[in-house]
Amino acid sequence: MINASEGGVRVREGSVESTDDERVPHSRISSLEVRVHPMAASVEPPGAIAVDTNGDEVFSQEAVMITECDGESYNTAATLHYCRRMILKPRDIIFAVLGYRSWNKDGAEQSLCLKVFNVVYFIFFLLCLCIGPVLQYNICLKRDQGVGNDVQIHFGNSSVYSDGDSHLCSGSLIFIYIVPSLMFFFAFLVTCIILRLGESEHLQTLLERVYLLASCSPWELVKQRRLWCIFVGWLMMGVMCLTLSLGSMILHLSAATQISYTFIQPQSETAKILLCGGALASLWLEDIVMVTAVLLYCTQCHLLSRLLEIIRMTLYQGATSLMGIKKQIDETSRFLRHLNQELGSSVGLYLCLAAFRAITASSSLFSTIKHYELPGMSAALASGSMHIDSRNSQGFYTFEYTTVEEARLWLHISAIITNLLPWLLLTIMPLCMAAWVSSNYRALSKAGSQLHGRPFGYQSTPQPDIDSFLLYVSSLHLQAKILWIPVRTYFLVSILVLTVMTIVVLSYLYL
């Protein structure tokens, strides 16, 4: 029986006849399982293989055509339409809303009104982002510590903290509010310049190429449905980061005993709600801009890695000549150059900001665990407007915190932990994806050595061509870079080891 359930099968018109001019029984014809995909083209694809049977078999050569594709056979036009409609068009709309690209319709030349609108919209969006740090300082919201404007006064070996109506927020104005904001705006402007003035067809070309290769791929790891599921996974990861970020800010406001305003004094409860809501909305908009840029980089790394995996599998199967493989690898270097020189610079700046916030959130978490009394607290602590900390016999400060109720303490701790998680994810994701791209290029180099030792599928290829291909792949030094720093697996392992050691040391010092 010929089972073609996994491949595209086309039955030509006309009757099926046996060798002695008798009609073939229906029971024997039904033994061939025919499945034609609804999106398959009505024409026979190039490279179709004809099943040649001698006179003793059931079907003649005119009966069936089985394509080289053992997987899902999609129409090329339908695949490209799917990519543009389901992925590229929503991406363009999101990027236009976030200011990363200008509003334009299907690549047509912009009119004067549309140019003016793009400039006005970008300025308006930039002003909305600038309002965020101003409103954040107005309510004294520290994303790693919470809400407060306590004023610290030193008296010898003791310190007094007052919760009065001060018009200054506690902590350093420069390093808590100004420096993170400047880091974000610099990264945002660099990303806008790259995406607006740079070549914008890299993602579209890479996406279409990978989807076209995956549409006729016999390998389960690079099927179209698997690629779409991974895209949905990236989207859900971004939504989770944004949810955690917004939830941490809401928990910080809920845990605050009172919100003191610095320079914009609300006169009613409605004005207070508007100021707090405006601060949360503008800060969350900054997070949306940052998450979108990181996901764009991760998406291109994922597509490039899939393309390299398809090339390596094709090499193992011997389905393409060595010269064709070399041309495909050279084409991937163009995508890698765009990834390293343009997107690697923009995501590297966002990565510095995410790492900065992750480190400050971790430090705040350790300090909170040390200073607060955790599970086992039987009753709420006494409330008051002042508390004093002094040195004990070992030279360390002992703190006596006041709170309204025990629930506020748990809200504060939950807000710190919730604030830490999204920045950790945004720091880890681009590093892991860049290391994946580098490892795929390294795997291609190893595949060349394996081919040279056992040229399966290339027995008819001259030995000088195989030697030339081995020299070519062994000289490949292509790898992903972030801020011009190569990212490889051992680099991530080193960072992981240092992080674990740091956590152990901090736990010994603070817990």
Side-chain angles (χ1 to χ4, degrees):
M1 182 181 74
I2 301 175
N3 190 344
S5 60
E6 295 298 326
V9 178
R10 307 194 184 280
V11 180
R12 295 184 177 178
E13 297 181 358
S15 61
V16 180
E17 299 180 357
S18 62
T19 55
D20 29 309
D21 299 332
E22 291 184 359
R23 194 67 72 166
V24 178
H26 182 272
S27 60
R28 299 187 64 183
I29 295 179
S30 61
S31 63
L32 176 66
E33 299 176 10
V34 178
R35 181 180 69 87
V36 179
H37 198 278
M39 294 181 64
S42 59
V43 297
E44 293 175 3
I49 302 175
V51 179
D52 187 10
T53 62
N54 297 325
D56 298 330
E57 296 296 331
V58 177
F59 296 100
S60 68
Q61 186 176 357
E62 297 293 326
V64 64
M65 294 290 291
I66 302 177
T67 67
E68 291 180 352
C69 173
D70 294 328
E72 299 172 349
S73 180
Y74 286 177
N75 189 346
T76 300
T79 301
L80 297 180
H81 177 73
Y82 174 81
C83 291
R84 297 189 183 106
R85 181 173 177 269
M86 300 299 296
I87 300 177
L88 294 174
K89 188 175 180 180
R91 181 214 60 161
D92 293 340
I93 294 176
I94 294 174
F95 276 25
V97 171
L98 299 180
Y100 281 145
R101 68 184 302 271
S102 58
W103 291 91
N104 200 359
K105 185 176 181 180
D106 298 333
E109 186 177 354
Q110 296 183 2
S111 61
L112 179 61
C113 295
L114 188 58
K115 292 180 180 179
V116 173
F117 173 77
N118 285 325
V119 174
V120 173
Y121 179 82
F122 182 77
I123 295 175
F124 172 76
F125 186 81
L126 192 60
L127 289 177
C128 292
L129 295 177
C130 294
I131 291 176
V134 176
L135 296 180
Q136 179 186 6
Y137 182 76
N138 183 58
I139 61 176
C140 296
L141 173 61
K142 307 179 189 67
R143 304 191 70 165
D144 58 332
Q145 298 178 5
V147 178
N149 64 337
D150 301 338
V151 179
Q152 182 178 0
I153 306 174
H154 296 279
F155 293 98
N157 293 332
S158 62
S159 301
V160 178
Y161 294 84
S162 176
D163 292 333
D165 296 329
S166 172
H167 295 288
L168 295 176
C169 297
S170 62
S172 174
L173 172 64
I174 296 177
F175 293 102
I176 294 180
Y177 298 99
I178 296 180
V179 170
S181 300
L182 291 179
M183 293 174 64
F184 168 77
F185 283 112
F186 182 68
F188 174 71
L189 293 177
V190 169
T191 307
C192 288
I193 292 174
I194 290 174
L195 295 180
R196 282 174 173 263
L197 303 181
E199 299 179 4
S200 58
E201 74 277 0
H202 285 284
L203 177 60
Q204 178 175 349
T205 305
L206 182 59
L207 177 67
E208 292 175 350
R209 176 166 301 183
V210 173
Y211 259 81
L212 286 175
L213 292 174
S215 64
C216 198
S217 172
W219 304 294
E220 185 65 27
L221 290 177
V222 291
K223 290 290 186 67
Q224 282 191 8
R225 58 177 178 270
R226 182 69 62 89
L227 293 174
W228 173 249
C229 291
I230 294 178
F231 274 123
V232 174
W234 285 121
L235 180 61
M236 297 305 296
M237 188 72 69
V239 172
M240 183 177 65
C241 290
L242 294 175
T243 303
L244 291 173
S245 175
L246 181 61
S248 66
M249 291 187 289
I250 294 176
L251 289 175
H252 276 313
L253 291 178
S254 302
T257 55
Q258 63 177 0
I259 299 177
S260 300
Y261 300 89
T262 55
F263 53 89
I264 303 179
Q265 300 294 331
Q267 303 299 326
S268 62
E269 291 296 329
T270 303
K272 292 181 181 180
I273 295 175
L274 290 177
L275 286 176
C276 293
L280 294 183
S282 55
L283 292 177
W284 198 48
L285 185 61
E286 294 182 4
D287 297 340
I288 294 176
V289 169
M290 182 175 176
V291 168
T292 304
V294 173
L295 291 183
L296 173 65
Y297 179 83
C298 294
T299 300
Q300 295 220 24
C301 285
H302 170 251
L303 289 174
L304 183 56
S305 298
R306 290 303 186 190
L307 181 58
L308 294 173
E309 289 177 356
I310 293 175
I311 294 175
R312 190 173 74 253
M313 293 177 182
T314 305
L315 176 64
Y316 285 145
Q317 295 294 328
T320 309
S321 65
L322 295 182
M323 290 300 298
I325 297 293
K326 291 173 62 176
K327 291 180 180 179
Q328 293 177 10
I329 297 176
D330 287 337
E331 290 174 354
T332 62
S333 63
R334 180 168 58 92
F335 299 117
L336 182 65
R337 191 181 307 113
H338 167 71
L339 193 71
N340 291 340
Q341 297 179 358
E342 298 182 4
L343 293 182
S345 303
S346 63
V347 79
L349 298 175
Y350 282 122
L351 188 62
C352 292
L353 177 60
F356 173 80
R357 288 180 173 174
I359 292 173
T360 55
S362 302
S363 176
S364 178
L365 178 62
F366 277 99
S367 300
T368 303
I369 294 176
K370 176 184 177 182
H371 296 160
Y372 278 135
E373 186 179 355
L374 290 176
M377 183 181 296
S378 57
L381 300 176
S383 60
S385 61
M386 300 176 64
H387 62 273
I388 301 176
D389 60 336
S390 59
R391 293 182 182 271
N392 56 16
S393 59
Q394 298 178 350
F396 295 101
Y397 281 108
T398 57
F399 295 87
E400 187 178 329
Y401 284 89
T402 61
T403 184
V404 177
E405 54 186 4
E406 187 178 353
R408 294 187 182 276
L409 173 61
W410 290 107
L411 285 176
H412 182 61
I413 296 174
S414 301
I416 295 177
I417 297 175
T418 308
N419 178 62
L420 174 62
L421 294 178
W423 309 124
L424 282 179
L425 289 175
L426 293 177
T427 304
I428 293 173
M429 285 193 301
L431 292 176
C432 292
M433 296 305 299
W436 189 19
V437 173
S438 300
S439 64
N440 275 288
Y441 274 109
R442 192 165 59 253
L444 268 178
S445 180
K446 295 179 180 179
S449 301
Q450 296 172 1
L451 176 65
H452 186 268
R454 186 182 180 186
F456 177 77
Y458 296 94
Q459 291 85 353
S460 60
T461 304
Q463 188 64 32
D465 293 346
I466 298 179
D467 295 338
S468 175
F469 182 78
L470 174 62
L471 180 62
Y472 170 76
V473 296
S474 61
S475 62
L476 286 177
H477 298 290
L478 301 176
Q479 50 192 350
K481 298 179 181 179
I482 296 180
L483 288 179
W484 300 280
I485 300 175
V487 181
R488 300 184 66 174
T489 306
Y490 66 83
F491 175 72
L492 295 185
V493 173
S494 302
I495 292 179
L496 178 62
V497 171
L498 292 177
T499 303
V500 172
M501 292 178 61
T502 303
I503 293 175
V504 172
V505 172
L506 291 177
S507 301
Y508 175 78
L509 293 177
Y510 285 91
L511 300 182

